[in-house]
């Protein structure tokens, strides 16, 4: 078996829950780095740029640079800039995500009849008027529907909060079509972006996260390995009901250094 060099580490539910660090996670990251592993933090949260994660993780003593963070927002923005550079995008997303698009010169609108591409993401202000706007975009046309990530909810300090997946499903429902592409984990686009950033071959990489269907699934069908932590969304019932089989099931990131030994 190829020796591991790179770790793709989820953030929410794996390292932090809301603004609180998960017990033992900062210490585990320090130990992993001391052992020479390269860590890349990959989040399906599309609303914040990498710089926000630098500050968020730094508040818990975890030093990272923007180059050590990839989000569903950055992956989606890069994909749209490459695939639909001259198209007009109807965007349902948070201000931070819109800023990522603007930085890449992506033209977006709030006018449904002007939409060449519909982009769906997490937005706490999403409401009935937005759903109606999405419906009108498909009244006389069939633009591709691009979603940032499939996460329906994320763990917080108290109870889960709904996220992008819920909004994508709502728009897909009124459009009566499946999303053309959802770019965040576990898509091939997200996988390749992470491997390229780490500079690792798949067999040299381990994915760690709290979701089977996004984090561990990122490793499915490849030589990558996947470890599930039970500090976020997944539990034993999820494991029993999901066909994806992780290489390890850990109570939290704190157990990862010992498991790697």
């Amino acid at each position: 078996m190829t020796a591991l060099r790179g770790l793709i580490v989820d953030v929410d539910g794996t390292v932090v829950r809301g603004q609180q660090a998960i017990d033992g996670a900062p210490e585990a990251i320090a130990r992993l780095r001391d052992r020479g592993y390269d860590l890349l933090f990959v989040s399906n949260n599309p609303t914040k740029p990498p710089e926000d994660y630098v500050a968020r993780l730094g508040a818990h003593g975890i030093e990272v640079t923007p180059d050590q963070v990839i989000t569903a927002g950055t992956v989606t923005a890069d994909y749209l800039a490459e695939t639909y550079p001259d198209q007009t995008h109807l965007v349902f997303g948070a201000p931070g995500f819109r800023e990522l698009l603007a930085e890449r010169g992506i033209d977006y609108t709030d006018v449904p009849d002007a939409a060449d591409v519909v982009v769906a993401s997490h937005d706490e202000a999403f409401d009935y008027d937005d759903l109606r706007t999405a419906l009108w975009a498909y009244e006389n046309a069939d633009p591709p529907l691009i979603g940032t990530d499939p996460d329906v909810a994320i763990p917080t300090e108290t109870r889960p909060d709904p996220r992008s997946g819920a909004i994508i499903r709502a728009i897909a429902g009124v459009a009566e079509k499946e999303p053309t592409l959802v770019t965040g984990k576990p898509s091939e686009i997200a996988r390749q972006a992470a491997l390229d950033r780490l500079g690792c071959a798949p067999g040299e990489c381990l994915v760690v996260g709290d979701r089977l269907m996004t984090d561990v699934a990122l490793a499915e069908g490849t030589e990558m390995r996947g470890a599930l932590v039970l500090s976020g969304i997944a539990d034993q019932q999820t494991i029993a009901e999901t066909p994806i089989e992780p290489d390890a099931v850990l109570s939290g990131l704190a157990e990862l250094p010992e498991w790697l030994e």
Side-chain angles (χ1 to χ4, degrees):
M1 183 176 290
T2 306
L4 290 174
R5 293 198 303 114
L7 305 181
I8 296 173
V9 183
D10 178 52
V11 179
D12 290 289
T14 302
V15 181
V16 296
R17 189 181 295 108
Q19 297 303 318
Q20 301 297 317
I22 292 172
D23 288 347
E27 295 80 5
I29 289 169
R31 291 174 62 189
L32 292 167
R33 283 175 162 168
D34 286 344
R35 294 179 185 178
Y37 293 107
D38 292 326
L39 272 64
L40 179 69
F41 296 91
V42 181
S43 171
N44 258 1
N45 184 342
T47 65
K48 304 292 184 183
E51 290 77 9
D52 280 44
Y53 285 86
V54 172
R56 187 180 178 198
L57 296 174
H60 304 293
I62 305 169
E63 294 186 6
V64 299
T65 66
D67 286 343
Q68 293 170 324
V69 179
I70 289 177
T71 73
T74 60
V75 170
T76 305
D78 289 342
Y79 171 80
L80 293 174
E82 180 179 349
T83 310
Y84 303 104
D86 301 318
Q87 306 299 305
T88 299
H89 300 70
L90 177 63
V91 178
F92 301 94
F97 176 58
R98 290 171 179 262
E99 290 174 9
L100 289 172
L101 300 181
E103 288 172 2
R104 289 157 175 80
I106 295 173
D107 182 28
Y108 58 84
T109 181
D110 294 322
V111 179
D113 293 334
D116 299 312
V117 182
V118 176
V119 185
S121 182
H122 173 66
D123 184 1
E124 292 184 6
F126 186 84
D127 60 15
Y128 180 83
D129 287 342
D130 290 319
L131 195 59
R132 181 168 53 196
T133 298
L135 173 62
W136 289 348
Y138 291 94
E139 186 177 16
N140 299 305
D142 188 28
L145 173 58
I146 308 299
T148 54
D149 63 279
D151 290 353
V152 174
I154 64 166
T156 71
E157 296 97 328
T158 53
R159 304 177 75 172
D161 279 348
R163 301 300 288 188
S164 302
I167 293 173
I168 295 168
R169 291 184 185 185
I171 293 174
V174 297
E176 298 188 84
K177 65 177 294 173
E178 291 296 316
T180 308
L181 177 68
V182 178
T183 58
K185 296 179 291 186
S187 75
E188 174 60 27
I189 293 172
R191 179 188 299 120
Q192 196 57 54
L195 290 172
D196 288 347
R197 187 71 62 86
L198 279 170
C200 289
E204 299 173 318
C205 192
L206 170 74
V207 185
V208 188
D210 68 310
R211 296 173 184 267
L212 285 166
M213 297 303 294
T214 54
D215 298 317
V216 178
L218 195 69
E220 284 287 289
T222 75
E223 294 180 352
M224 298 167 68
R225 282 156 273 183
L228 179 73
V229 293
L230 301 179
S231 52
I233 291 292
D235 54 21
Q236 292 296 337
Q237 181 176 350
T238 306
I239 296 170
E241 295 175 349
T242 305
I244 295 173
E245 296 185 6
D247 293 278
V249 178
L250 311 172
S251 64
L253 198 62
E255 293 183 0
L256 184 60
E258 291 186 9
W259 179 78
L260 287 173
E261 289 180 352

